[in-house]
Amino acid sequence: MKKFVAALISVVAFSQVVTAAPYYTGVGCNAEGTKCTFGKPSKRVLNWTKQGTVSELGNKCEKFLANIEGRKNIIAQNRPVVLDYRNFTYMWSKKIDAQGQAEIICQVEIHSELENVKIVSETYKKLNWVCDTKDQPGICAHLKSECETLRDQALQDSTVLDATIYKGGSLAQGEICYVATAKFK
């Protein structure tokens, strides 16, 4: 009888532990949202990555996380928001900044703990033929400073948790700059 009571108490205690938002929802999905037979993304989990200098993001991405938490607190004044951060990693990139130090890449899973609050990544704006300066050889339709201005504009939206710049390129479109946002729905 004592073992049964102890087991019952432990089950009740562990059932009160808050679990993170599920990755997927649908037929055959477990509580974590993994191992689904037929599932679709829950849109409550966002794998967010940002690259920048150590002065922008911190030596171990502490400023990166603090900026996200600060924006969340501002947004939470107008609507209910509960976030959980999981699987945080950081690494050094191959790109060297003006001070001669490698840029840092920060990555975290952001889980929305409220069922009716979704968090998604959206492309705010895309610019083709991006150059560092107008004097650069080749086609130059936009400057990198325009990408930074667009990122700052994206942060003006009250539903945007964070904004970042991703870079890409193609033969037909030259160097491409994508301004992406982590946004509440």
Side-chain angles (χ1 to χ4, degrees), residues 37-54:
T37 307
F38 297 104
K40 62 180 183 173
S42 69
K43 295 189 181 179
R44 290 176 51 202
V45 179
L46 178 65
N47 194 359
W48 187 245
T49 303
K50 194 168 191 175
Q51 179 176 337
T53 63
V54 171

Side-chain angles (χ1 to χ4, degrees), residues 95 107 174:
K95 185 176 180 185
Q107 185 172 7

Side-chain angles (χ1 to χ4, degrees), residues 10-19:
S10 65
V11 168
V12 170
F14 285 116
S15 68
Q16 299 301 320
V17 175
V18 176
T19 59

Side-chain angles (χ1 to χ4, degrees), residues 2-185:
K2 289 180 184 179
K3 289 182 182 180
F4 175 76
V5 171
L8 184 63
I9 290 172
S10 65
V11 168
V12 170
F14 285 116
S15 68
Q16 299 301 320
V17 175
V18 176
T19 59
Y23 295 93
Y24 293 91
T25 58
V27 178
C29 294
N30 60 6
E32 293 177 358
T34 58
K35 301 178 183 174
C36 297
T37 307
F38 297 104
K40 62 180 183 173
S42 69
K43 295 189 181 179
R44 290 176 51 202
V45 179
L46 178 65
N47 194 359
W48 187 245
T49 303
K50 194 168 191 175
Q51 179 176 337
T53 63
V54 171
S55 61
E56 293 172 346
L57 303 176
N59 286 328
K60 295 184 179 177
C61 296
E62 61 274 0
K63 291 181 183 177
F64 166 71
L65 294 172
N67 289 340
I68 291 174
E69 187 65 21
R71 284 286 292 182
K72 182 206 70 151
N73 291 337
I74 291 169
I75 293 168
Q77 293 173 355
N78 299 325
R79 66 185 296 180
V81 175
V82 179
L83 297 180
D84 186 26
Y85 307 105
R86 300 272 174 112
N87 299 327
F88 167 74
T89 60
Y90 71 94
M91 63 187 134
W92 300 103
S93 74
K94 293 180 182 180
K95 185 176 180 185
I96 306 297
D97 66 12
Q99 288 79 27
Q101 187 173 9
E103 288 191 352
I104 193 165
I105 301 170
C106 307
Q107 185 172 7
V108 67
E109 277 182 10
I110 304 172
H111 292 250
S112 172
E113 296 302 315
L114 301 176
E115 275 189 52
N116 61 344
V117 178
K118 310 292 186 203
I119 183 166
V120 295
S121 178
E122 293 180 348
T123 300
Y124 176 74
K125 190 85 172 181
K126 176 179 121 176
L127 300 177
N128 298 329
W129 302 105
V130 179
C131 303
D132 290 330
T133 64
K134 282 284 187 189
D135 301 333
Q136 193 171 334
I139 300 171
C140 187
H142 302 282
L143 296 176
K144 288 190 179 178
S145 60
E146 292 177 56
C147 294
E148 294 167 1
T149 303
L150 287 171
R151 179 193 59 209
D152 295 340
Q153 286 176 358
L155 286 170
Q156 300 301 318
D157 186 351
S158 63
T159 61
V160 172
L161 184 62
D162 198 11
T164 189
I165 299 170
Y166 294 120
K167 297 175 184 165
S170 74
L171 291 175
Q173 297 171 321
E175 187 172 335
I176 302 170
C177 153
Y178 298 92
V179 177
T181 59
K183 190 173 187 173
F184 288 110
K185 292 270 185 183

